[in-house]
């Protein structure tokens, strides 16, 4: 049997390791610093993205068929339940309309142009998902060409699902809130507590074993209880105010007993995303 | 008479289809595959590469080059983190081919070697991700919630794909 680690092989292994670590550090540095990846990578991703659409279309079609059938079976029960909510909804909608008109008028009177709440949506379809346990990422079919920029929040169904992490010309990567990486998803949120007191904070981590977003380091004395609604606070950057994140499911003390730690149940189902909208602040 | 399409063409096209199916499966079945707290990751790309190493001619197919190329595209398109799978894919293919040569060529040894290959692949992937802080799961969590389900899924996929792909390479060997 030949010697496994001949000196030539050893050299190759060492060189490969060095190059690997170099490339990894480089791509992390680039990802954190720049809004778009280098042009070559962008170009490559665009081409692969186009090819992927050809394969992904039939797969997503099949998936869609299954989901539709499942929905059909649930229709009756759902219909019963929803009927009871319809009356309530119209009432809220009308109220919402009146309030937003009033809001606009008041803003005009006060000469306030755009506030933190205003945003427009860019709709996009999901092409594919990263096959990896750790990088909870999806790839959507809109990019720089449609006006998407890095760090914009992404909404699916009822609430926030993540932020845009990498933008190519015609597709972009969205990091879901279920990503456990140290440097992702630190966005500012607020809890509407009891007695309509507002507690501000940021998302600090994600608990993958129970599917909960964790908001740590809260020193406010305001009382929070299970079921309180959580929205984005619009502070610090590109994320608009008032995007629904989820509801409080547990409030505990942190490891040192000094600050509170709030567990939030995400509103959107992170494992069933077909269409998303990217929120662009006015 | 119809001219036979060379196996290398099948190999390359199949490889790209497997690559895109990885992502599409993860997307379409994400409710099942990534159900909390477990995550099963399909590695059809690696399945295709390793089966090519088992049945095909490694030199003629330029297998290591293709493994590196598809690894690079995987890094660039799916994870956005360069320099991980570009080295892991060829390494796993190399290891699997070396071990498979020693064993008698049948399904059981293929199964065993693939088991080892996926273990090495997922473990190295975990190490790379832990190194840059992409994951914070502990080794115990990784073993139970990621490695075990991923192995189960991929071995099922191997059992499905083994004989059809063997037949494909056999018909092209004459």
């Amino acid at each position: 049997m030949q010697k496994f680690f001949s000196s030539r092989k050893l050299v190759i292994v060492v060189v490969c390791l060095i190059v690997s670590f170099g490339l990894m550090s480089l791509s992390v540095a680039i990802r954190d610093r720049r809004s778009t990846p280098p042009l070559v990578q962008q170009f490559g991703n665009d081409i692969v993205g186009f090819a992927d659409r050809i394969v992904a279309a039939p797969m997503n079609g099949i998936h869609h068929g299954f989901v539709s059938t499942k929905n059909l079976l649930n229709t009756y029960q759902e219909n019963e339940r929803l009927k009871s909510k319809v009356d309530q909804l119209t009432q809220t909608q009308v109220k919402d309309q009146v309030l937003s008109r009033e809001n606009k008028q008041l803003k005009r009177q006060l000469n306030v142009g755009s506030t933190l709440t205003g945003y427009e949506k860019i709709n996009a379809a999901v092409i594919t998902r990263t096959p990896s346990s750790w990088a909870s990422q999806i790839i959507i079919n809109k990019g720089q060409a449609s006006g998407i920029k890095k760090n914009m929040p992404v909404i699916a169904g009822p609430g926030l699902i993540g932020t845009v992490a990498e933008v190519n010309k015609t597709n972009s990567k969205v990091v879901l809130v279920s990503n456990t990486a140290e440097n992702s998803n630190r966005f500012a949120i607020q809890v509407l507590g009891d007695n309509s007191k507002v507690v501000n904070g940021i998302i600090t981590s994600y608990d993958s074993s129970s599917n909960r977003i964790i908001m740590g380091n809260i020193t406010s004395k305001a009382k929070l209880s299970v079921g309180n609604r959580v929205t984005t606070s619009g502070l610090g950057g590109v994320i608009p105010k008032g995007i629904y994140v989820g509801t409080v499911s547990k409030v505990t003390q942190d490891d040192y007993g000094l600050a509170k730690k709030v567990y939030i149940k995400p509103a959107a189902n992170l494992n069933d995303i077909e269409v998303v909208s990217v929120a662009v602040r006015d | 008479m119809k001219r036979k399409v060379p196996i290398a063409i099948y190999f390359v096209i199949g490889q790209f289809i497997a690559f895109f199916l990885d992502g599409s499966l993860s997307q379409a079945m994400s409710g099942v595959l990534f159900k909390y707290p477990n995550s099963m990751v399909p590695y059809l790309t690696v399945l295709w590469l390793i089966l090519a190493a088992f049945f095909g001619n490694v030199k003629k197919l330029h297998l290591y080059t293709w493994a590196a190329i598809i690894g690079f595209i995987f890094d660039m398109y799916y994870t956005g983190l360069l320099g991980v799978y570009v080295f892991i894919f060829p390494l796993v293919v190399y290891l699997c081919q070396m071990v498979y040569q020693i064993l008698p060529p049948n399904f059981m040894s293929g199964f065993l070697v693939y088991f080892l290959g996926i273990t090495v692949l997922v473990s190295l992937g975990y190490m790379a991700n832990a190194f840059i802080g992409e994951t914070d799961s502990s080794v115990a969590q990784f073993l139970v919630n990621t490695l075990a389900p991923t192995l189960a899924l991929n071995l099922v996929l191997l059992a499905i794909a083994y004989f059809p792909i063997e037949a494909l390479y056999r018909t092209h060997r004459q």
Side-chain angles (χ1 to χ4, degrees):
Chain A
M1 204 178 140
Q2 67 191 90
K3 218 172 97 189
F4 186 70
F5 270 123
S6 63
S7 59
R8 188 167 149 268
K9 268 183 194 156
L10 195 67
V11 170
I12 291 176
V13 168
V14 170
V15 168
C16 280
L17 268 178
I18 293 171
V19 174
S20 169
F21 280 100
L23 277 174
M24 269 157 66
S25 329
L26 188 77
S27 48
V28 170
I30 285 175
R31 187 180 61 188
D32 290 349
R33 214 173 300 150
R34 291 178 47 183
S35 59
T36 52
L39 209 64
V40 184
Q41 198 179 341
Q42 225 179 85
F43 183 66
N45 280 343
D46 284 327
I47 290 176
V48 180
F50 272 120
D52 197 359
R53 274 168 222 194
I54 300 164
V55 181
M59 278 299 289
N60 289 346
I62 294 167
H63 176 232
H64 199 78
F66 275 118
V67 172
S68 304
T69 325
K70 198 179 80 190
N71 284 349
L72 193 67
L73 295 177
N74 291 337
T75 308
Y76 179 72
Q77 284 173 342
E78 210 168 58
N79 194 20
E80 289 288 293
R81 194 156 47 81
L82 290 178
K83 257 184 199 161
S84 63
K85 287 199 178 169
V86 167
D87 301 336
Q88 219 182 329
L89 185 69
T90 15
Q91 215 173 23
T92 328
Q93 240 168 11
V94 171
K95 201 176 165 194
D96 185 54
Q97 243 167 24
V98 174
L99 283 177
S100 66
R101 195 178 304 149
E102 189 184 86
N103 192 2
K104 212 184 267 175
Q105 278 171 356
L106 290 175
K107 267 184 192 168
R108 205 183 300 140
Q109 254 176 6
L110 285 169
N111 277 330
V112 181
S114 52
T115 48
L116 296 174
T117 40
Y119 65 87
E120 275 169 39
K121 284 177 179 176
I122 302 173
N123 294 323
V126 179
I127 307 177
T128 186
R129 184 187 171 116
T130 301
S132 161
S133 321
W134 305 287
S136 299
Q137 285 179 338
I138 53 175
I139 297 168
I140 59 174
N141 68 353
K142 293 273 172 71
Q144 223 173 18
S146 316
I148 289 176
K149 293 202 183 74
K150 198 178 165 175
N151 289 333
M152 281 178 175
V154 182
I155 308 162
L160 186 79
I161 56 158
T163 48
V164 175
E166 185 190 305
V167 189
N168 302 306
K169 283 276 181 293
T170 56
N171 58 51
S172 29
K173 291 194 181 82
V174 175
V175 173
L176 304 179
V177 283
S178 59
N179 195 309
T180 51
E182 282 160 5
N183 50 4
S184 68
N185 292 317
R186 291 282 185 274
F187 36 90
I189 52 176
Q190 62 185 20
V191 187
L192 303 168
D194 300 346
N195 317 324
S196 59
K197 280 217 174 112
V198 173
V199 178
N200 279 297
I202 56 168
I203 292 179
T204 49
S205 59
Y206 173 80
D207 182 6
S208 62
S209 56
S210 57
N211 182 23
R212 293 287 182 270
I213 304 168
I214 299 170
M215 174 185 177
N217 305 329
I218 301 161
T219 48
S220 163
K221 291 279 186 298
K223 192 175 179 308
L224 301 175
S225 50
V226 174
N228 283 159
R229 295 220 166 99
V230 184
T231 60
T232 55
S233 67
L235 301 174
V238 286
I239 298 178
K241 188 179 181 178
I243 296 176
Y244 187 38
V245 177
T247 50
V248 173
S249 78
K250 199 167 80 177
V251 182
T252 56
Q253 296 285 314
D254 75 352
D255 299 344
Y256 307 103
L258 295 172
K260 262 186 275 189
K261 207 169 157 186
V262 179
Y263 288 77
I264 299 158
K265 183 173 183 286
N269 181 2
L270 299 173
N271 279 338
D272 188 15
I273 306 162
E274 279 187 64
V275 181
V276 299
S277 357
V278 181
V280 185
R281 201 149 123 178
D282 291 342
Chain B
M1 220 178 88
K2 220 169 72 180
R3 264 186 70 205
K4 223 173 180 183
V5 183
I7 187 70
I9 306 274
Y10 280 117
F11 166 70
V12 173
I13 292 172
Q15 176 166 41
F16 277 99
I17 291 177
F19 172 79
F20 291 127
L21 274 183
D22 269 348
S24 285
L25 269 182
S26 307
Q27 162 61 17
M29 315 262 290
S30 52
V32 183
L33 297 178
F34 299 100
K35 200 173 165 59
Y36 308 101
N38 296 327
S39 60
M40 301 187 226
V41 187
Y43 281 110
L44 290 172
T45 320
V46 181
L47 176 75
W48 185 261
L49 285 171
I50 291 179
L51 288 180
F54 286 174
F55 309 127
N57 186 328
V58 175
K59 284 253 158 55
K60 268 191 196 154
L61 291 176
H62 304 290
L63 196 58
Y64 299 124
T65 320
W66 276 113
I69 291 173
I70 206 78
F72 184 73
I73 300 176
F74 197 100
D75 283 344
M76 192 173 74
Y77 184 62
Y78 281 141
T79 58
L81 179 69
L82 301 179
V84 181
Y85 288 107
V86 64
F87 295 111
I88 295 178
F89 280 3
L91 178 74
V92 167
V93 171
Y94 175 76
L95 285 177
C96 284
Q97 199 226 344
M98 282 294 150
V99 181
Y100 191 72
Q101 273 176 355
I102 307 167
L103 299 170
N106 58 32
F107 176 70
M108 269 329 284
S109 41
F111 194 80
L112 192 75
V113 172
Y114 190 67
F115 185 94
L116 291 177
I118 290 293
T119 311
V120 171
L121 173 82
V122 180
S123 310
L124 287 179
Y126 169 70
M127 272 150 73
N129 277 291
F131 169 70
I132 56 144
E134 187 76 29
T135 172
D136 61 355
S137 65
S138 67
V139 177
Q141 266 176 346
F142 158 71
L143 289 178
V144 175
N145 294 336
T146 301
L147 184 60
T150 301
L151 270 174
L153 173 72
N154 282 289
L155 289 174
V156 170
L157 292 176
L158 175 81
I160 295 168
Y162 187 89
F163 292 105
I165 293 178
E166 191 194 15
L168 174 73
Y169 281 97
R170 204 188 319 113
T171 51
H172 278 266
R173 209 173 290 150
Q174 300 111 14

